[in-house]
Amino acid sequence: MIVQAKEECLEPKYHRCRVGLNHLAFHAEIKLQVDLMTEKLMAKGYRVLYRDWHPFAGGDGHYAVYCEDPDRIKVELVAPSG
């Protein structure tokens, strides 16, 4: 099978704001899990997003950590509100 593509399309740069998978969300059981994951992510050098609003970057009552994986996909771990 042969697939033809323009040179500039052979290795397109990924950006989470383009079409396709851009955000994975996971549910934590308690807020402490979000806090512990935040510490682990930072210790391993991952880019934690929205640091100015952390852990409420998703809005009041939305306790979460957001980061980028190596492919720049946004990953979220959110705890139940309350």
Side-chain angles (χ1 to χ4, degrees):
M1 175 183 218
I2 297 175
V3 178
Q4 292 181 331
K6 294 180 182 177
E7 187 71 28
E8 65 269 14
C9 297
L10 293 177
E11 293 188 40
K13 294 180 181 179
Y14 176 82
H15 193 284
R16 71 174 184 268
C17 293
R18 293 181 64 193
V19 173
L21 178 65
N22 67 359
H23 185 167
L24 291 174
F26 297 92
H27 185 266
E29 291 183 20
I30 58 174
K31 292 179 181 178
L32 178 61
Q33 289 175 313
V34 172
D35 296 338
L36 293 173
M37 183 57 72
T38 301
E39 290 176 15
K40 288 179 183 180
L41 290 166
M42 292 173 61
K44 291 186 177 272
Y46 282 90
R47 181 171 172 229
V48 174
L49 303 172
Y50 320 119
R51 293 293 307 274
D52 292 346
W53 302 293
H54 175 76
F56 298 105
D60 292 339
H62 189 86
Y63 199 92
V65 61
Y66 298 86
C67 71
E68 285 184 332
D69 79 355
D71 292 321
R72 299 208 60 222
I73 294 173
K74 187 189 313 183
V75 180
E76 172 186 4
L77 179 63
V78 61
S81 58

